[in-house]
Amino acid sequence: MRRFVCCALLGVVALVLAGSPSAASGPGQRDAALEQGILRELNRVRVAHGLAALQPSAALRSAALYQSRSLLAQGVFGHDTPGSGRFGDRLRRFYPVAGATSWVVGENLLWSTAGITPAEAVELWLESPAHRRVMLDASWRELGVAAVSASDAPGVFASADGPVVVVTVDFGARAGGSRLTAAASSRG
């Protein structure tokens, strides 16, 4: 039996500065093909809804990778976790304000038994009002996708009784600073 679980969160923070940690190493293997497929499918859906395609962000990908690995290692599923901290604080470490006057971040999570396709992942988010709202928000300019799979994992993932994949998509936009690029500044 395939199992899918999703979680969405949106946060807005203004002018807070913090350092940027490196991506957590941890259990599981990155699934680069699933990551790239989700990025393409998300942008395809956004464009089909009249929104701008999002630019890949190394900073947001690092934040997403850190979260996916942390969730697998801890056996928990959520935006705020003991090992990763509060959602906004975690994202601020990886995706700092960096001279902008404000920024906005959001996150969609998903975990599944092995074998989920990019189209299935995006469709699950589209079927959920909270995830759909985050995914189709016109304010986003950048995103980072991380899919990490493991042959088994503790905690909430143990119920899969086999291989699982955790997908984190972090969305972001910074405004009023030098980090906002011309491509990112156009409204969708």
Side-chain angles (χ1 to χ4, degrees), residues 14-15 67 83 85 87 118 126 156 170 181:
L15 207 53
Q67 183 67 354
F87 165 77
L126 282 171
V156 299
D170 286 328
T181 65

Side-chain angles (χ1 to χ4, degrees), residues 80-106:
D80 299 334
T81 62
S84 298
R86 295 187 54 195
F87 165 77
D89 295 337
R90 174 176 43 87
L91 267 290
R92 196 177 306 110
R93 288 191 316 263
F94 287 94
Y95 189 69
V97 174
T101 56
S102 67
W103 60 259
V104 60
V105 293

Side-chain angles (χ1 to χ4, degrees), residues 95-187:
Y95 189 69
V97 174
T101 56
S102 67
W103 60 259
V104 60
V105 293
E107 180 170 85
N108 279 356
L109 299 175
L110 173 138
W111 81 267
S112 171
T113 53
I116 191 167
T117 68
E120 289 171 327
V122 171
E123 185 61 32
L124 285 168
W125 288 321
L126 282 171
E127 291 172 358
S128 161
H131 295 91
R132 182 183 187 90
R133 226 178 356 267
V134 170
M135 195 169 64
L136 297 179
D137 188 312
S139 65
W140 305 136
R141 299 294 172 250
E142 302 175 293
L143 83 160
V145 181
V148 179
S149 59
S151 58
D152 62 359
V156 299
F157 310 115
S159 66
D161 196 28
V164 297
V165 62
V166 174
V167 178
T168 303
V169 179
D170 286 328
F171 300 87
R174 295 179 267 216
S178 61
R179 303 277 269 175
L180 193 61
T181 65
S185 65
S186 64
R187 297 303 263 191

Side-chain angles (χ1 to χ4, degrees), residues 4-19:
F4 305 102
V5 180
C6 301
C7 191
L9 187 65
L10 171 67
V12 179
V13 180
L15 207 53
V16 180
L17 300 175

